[in-house]
Amino acid sequence: MELRVSGNDSFVTQFVLLGLTDSPALQPMLFVIFLLAYVATIGGNFSILAAILMEPKLHTPMYFFLGNLSLLDVGCITVTVPTMLRQFLSNDRSIPYGACLSQIFFFHLLCGADCFLLTVMAYDRYLAICQPLTYSTHMGLGIQKASVGMSCVFSFTHSLTQTVALSTLKFCGPNVINHFYCDLPQLFQLSCSSIQLNEQLLFLLFVAAAFMGVAPLVLITVSYTHVVAAVLRIRSAEGRKKAFSTCSSHLTVVSIFYGTGIFNYMRLGSVETSDKDKGIGIFNTVISPMLNPLIYSLRNPDVHGALRRVLTGK
């Protein structure tokens, strides 16, 4: 364990990530599995993005937001998985203090933008179904770009606040993180700062989590409450089915995203990390970005056709 001496105190300069397993027999197999998952995620999300750019039918607000969501998913998995792949190939599982904070910053930056973008997408579905006559006015290209830009600004502010808050903590004892990437709960467990400072930072982070998670979730719920009410007023069963089909993919992604995110933040005050945390981490950082392209294209004939043209060159 490397320590930096400052006055009479010593501080950790690097952490050790235990990863998913310490079994040498399992590491090559896990390396292949997660490498394939990483390649599939990159390929799937960039294929969706290429289809949206090349297919005129997909030049609509919903697919504009979906293209940005694909970019965020690529960034999210790139922040965590390459580090894990390196751990499978090397006995060196250390990560410098600065790199650990950087990983937290970029991970929460991308996830936060994801969170706000999902909220904007819910509002887009509300306008399309509840206010179709004014939809093109309320969701023009300028508003679309501004919505994405503001999502990134809010997320950047939140992520920077978290990283600065974490940098005030002292780490002078154990430096082993029982996870495959750096995140808030694990670092709080290792902090040797005063209990008062830890409690103050926990309160700050819970307030930030409420802003980042609870407020958007309330807005999504309100949007879909209006959507459901509007769809139920449609007389034909076929019309109701068509309206609901445009929302089902988004609702599935929201459920996965918030289900894992809420569990993660509820672990902030936890005393120790369990294998359940690692499972949620895999779902949040690997499986979710990999599934999103499948979820959005599974029952969408326009995306199917565009993907065929992209992949076959016709």
Side-chain angles (χ1 to χ4, degrees), residues 25-83:
L26 289 177
Q27 289 178 7
M29 181 178 66
L30 290 175
F31 174 82
V32 172
I33 291 172
F34 283 100
L35 178 62
L36 291 175
Y38 182 64
V39 171
T41 302
I42 299 295
N45 281 287
F46 275 126
S47 295
I48 290 285
L49 187 61
I52 292 170
L53 292 173
M54 297 177 65
E55 176 55 60
K57 279 185 180 181
L58 303 183
H59 292 173
T60 64
M62 182 175 72
Y63 291 108
F64 174 80
F65 296 131
L66 178 57
N68 282 278
L69 191 67
S70 294
L71 286 176
L72 292 174
D73 284 339
V74 169
C76 188
I77 195 172
T78 300
V79 168
T80 55
V81 170
T83 302

Side-chain angles (χ1 to χ4, degrees), residues 164-181:
V164 171
L166 276 176
S167 68
T168 63
L169 293 177
K170 294 179 181 179
F171 301 95
C172 45
N175 68 334
V176 177
I177 297 175
N178 186 20
H179 216 300
F180 61 92
Y181 67 95

Side-chain angles (χ1 to χ4, degrees), residues 248-301:
S248 59
S249 299
H250 180 253
L251 280 172
T252 303
V253 172
V254 167
S255 300
I256 294 172
F257 180 84
Y258 273 97
T260 55
I262 289 172
F263 179 88
N264 216 29
Y265 264 96
M266 291 302 291
R267 296 286 295 169
L268 269 178
S270 176
V271 175
E272 60 181 19
T273 304
S274 67
D275 289 338
K276 190 183 294 184
D277 293 291
K278 296 181 184 180
I280 292 294
I282 291 171
F283 207 93
N284 204 22
T285 61
V286 181
I287 297 177
S288 182
M290 184 172 62
L291 287 181
N292 285 351
L294 293 175
I295 292 170
Y296 277 107
S297 63
L298 201 59
R299 299 174 62 185
N300 193 318

Side-chain angles (χ1 to χ4, degrees), residues 126-177:
Y126 160 75
L127 290 177
I129 293 174
C130 300
Q131 300 185 29
L133 297 180
T134 59
Y135 176 64
S136 58
T137 304
H138 289 148
M139 197 53 77
L141 184 59
I143 295 176
Q144 295 170 41
K145 292 180 178 179
S147 299
V148 173
M150 290 305 295
S151 296
C152 293
V153 169
F154 285 142
S155 180
F156 176 83
T157 304
H158 170 257
S159 186
L160 184 62
T161 302
Q162 284 191 327
T163 308
V164 171
L166 276 176
S167 68
T168 63
L169 293 177
K170 294 179 181 179
F171 301 95
C172 45
N175 68 334
V176 177
I177 297 175

